[in-house]
DNA sequence: ACCTGGCCTTGACGGGGGTCAAGTTCGGGA
DNA sequence: TCCCGAACTTGACCCCCGTCAAGGCCAGGT
């Protein structure tokens, strides 16, 4: 069903090198990981990990994208994050050693390098600086989740404003009217990322539009008033 | 305003030993921490850390209780966790090295031992097993936050059911009618812990009561049907 | 006993947002 | 060119829950 490799593949090594989790590890250590990895190529929509299963492995995305999410009792999904090449999959669960706390599935065809959790422990023992890197990484993860919780306490227009603001900082390009921003994804996907549904997102856009904060043209949005957008997105001030 | 100690205090050492974060560290290492610590005694309602401030220190609760929370734009509080003796304060932020991601304040008079973040790094470098302990601890923290997010997606009766179920597992005592459970706190506080207000919590109790799931007598609750309670609290099954 | 002030409960009301059901726009294929 | 389906929008409806405003129900003090 899937293909394993015997010699370390080039793209796998590249992905492992890009993985922010153990940035700073020696090439030798990463190459060792690469040869220990079981590489799998899977189609879009494949379940990578299932909530509640014992967390004995973790993965690194080599190509493709995946989504980490929760399934509510009614089947609703709450998306935590979207993973792309170089991102680790389920590494937290592997470190914690319990069961996977969430589901993950691919949203495109993808290649994933799987490793047993012990491999990571060995890497950290052999290279102390890696342990420190992994540590700060985990800590940042906690901070990130904290802000997810914070964001969920805002209403949808505010969450959208926050997203647009951050997006404007990252990929905004100046234009005659203001800042041109390309939403990186279809609106239905953005809705899920903001923890809501397309209909409500649509109304949120409408609200920002009638407040003269943005203009919407398909997937391209013109931010007319960055300042007010930022303050609506909760408490970012200019300095 | 507050009292520093010169010799390591006994209660401070005890609290540091109890701190789950570095369980497994040698006595010598912990004693070293204890003598490096600046011990402060503060009244109820004292702000321990302020969201947005640079995270250069962390603390360990020696006595008393504290609350970690977010401040919404409108001043509403979202409580993440309640800390008591032996719990670390803001250690995540210290490891991440950025700014505090949340506020913390005492809810009782409290004694806290403060340490510079470097002290923790040094401890981890000198004792590799501590690094591993801290690591799994952080990972579990992430898992915990994950479940906070999950919980916030449920409605209030379900959140209450989940709390009662967990509480029943922890401190429930069998009785003729079912499981006797003591809520560990006043209902107004429980409301905050569940991310809601007393009025809504009261209605949630009423709903559980009219579904014959529980009986309420002040701070003591009799769980009549653990099974249904658990399933209402979302997806805990019996095995 | 009486008052008084927490703490909890109950009712009434309103707003945010999820759901269902129609449209609408737009791009691709025959 | 016409058609069709996917993605998006808009309206109607309703539920959950936060808020405001009254009450109950004690416990402690005088």
């Amino acid at each position: 069903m899937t293909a394993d490799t015997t010699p370390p593949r080039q793209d796998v090594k590249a992905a492992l090198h890009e993985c922010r989790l153990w940035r700073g590890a020696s090439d030798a250590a990463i190459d060792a990981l690469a040869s220990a990895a079981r590489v799998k190529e899977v189609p879009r929509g494949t379940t990578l990990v299932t909530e509640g299963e014992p967390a004995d492995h973790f993965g690194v995305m080599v190509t493709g994208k995946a989504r980490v999410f929760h399934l509510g009792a009614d089947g609703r999904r709450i998306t935590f994050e979207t993973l792309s090449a170089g991102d680790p999959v389920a590494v937290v669960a592997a470190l914690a050693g319990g069961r996977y706390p969430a589901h993950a599935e691919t949203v495109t065809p993808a290649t994933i390098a799987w490793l047993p959790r012990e491999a990571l422990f060995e890497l950290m023992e052999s290279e102390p600086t890696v342990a420190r890197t992994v540590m700060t990484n985990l800590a940042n993860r906690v901070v990130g989740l904290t802000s997810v919780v914070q964001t969920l306490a805002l209403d949808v227009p505010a969450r959208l404003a926050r997203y647009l603001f951050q997006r404007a900082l990252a990929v905004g390009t100046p234009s005659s009217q203001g800042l041109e921003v390309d939403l990186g994804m279809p609106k239905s996907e953005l809705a899920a990322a903001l923890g809501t549904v397309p209909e409500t997102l649509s109304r949120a856009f409408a609200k920002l539009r009638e407040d003269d904060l943005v203009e919407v043209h398909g997937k391209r949005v013109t931010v007319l008033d960055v300042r007010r957008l930022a303050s609506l997105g909760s408490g970012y001030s200019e300095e």
Side-chain angles (χ1 to χ4, degrees), chain A residues 104-117:
Chain A
E105 83 177 23
T106 54
V107 293
T108 68
T111 311
I112 296 111
W114 288 102
L115 287 158
R117 60 190 293 260

Side-chain angles (χ1 to χ4, degrees), chain A residues 87-177:
Chain A
D87 288 334
V89 183
V91 96
V92 175
L95 285 170
R99 291 162 182 279
Y100 295 118
H103 297 276
E105 83 177 23
T106 54
V107 293
T108 68
T111 311
I112 296 111
W114 288 102
L115 287 158
R117 60 190 293 260
E118 276 313 313
L120 181 52
F121 284 125
E122 282 160 20
L123 175 62
M124 290 189 297
E125 271 158 35
S126 63
E127 305 211 12
T129 70
V130 175
R132 180 151 175 170
T133 309
V134 173
M135 194 97 56
T136 58
N137 241 287
L138 276 182
N140 278 306
R141 193 87 157 234
V142 173
V143 174
L145 270 177
T146 296
S147 102
V148 168
V149 174
Q150 183 176 27
T151 298
L152 284 180
L154 303 172
D155 62 14
V156 175
R159 278 182 250 170
L160 174 57
R162 164 178 285 221
Y163 175 82
L164 288 176
F165 176 65
Q166 289 175 163
R167 186 88 188 155
L169 289 184
V171 301
T173 59
S175 80
S176 55
Q177 299 284 329

Side-chain angles (χ1 to χ4, degrees), chain A residues 3-17:
Chain A
D4 284 24
T5 53
T6 20
R9 286 167 42 168
Q10 213 46 49
D11 54 354
V12 172
K13 281 169 65 172
L16 290 177
H17 267 94

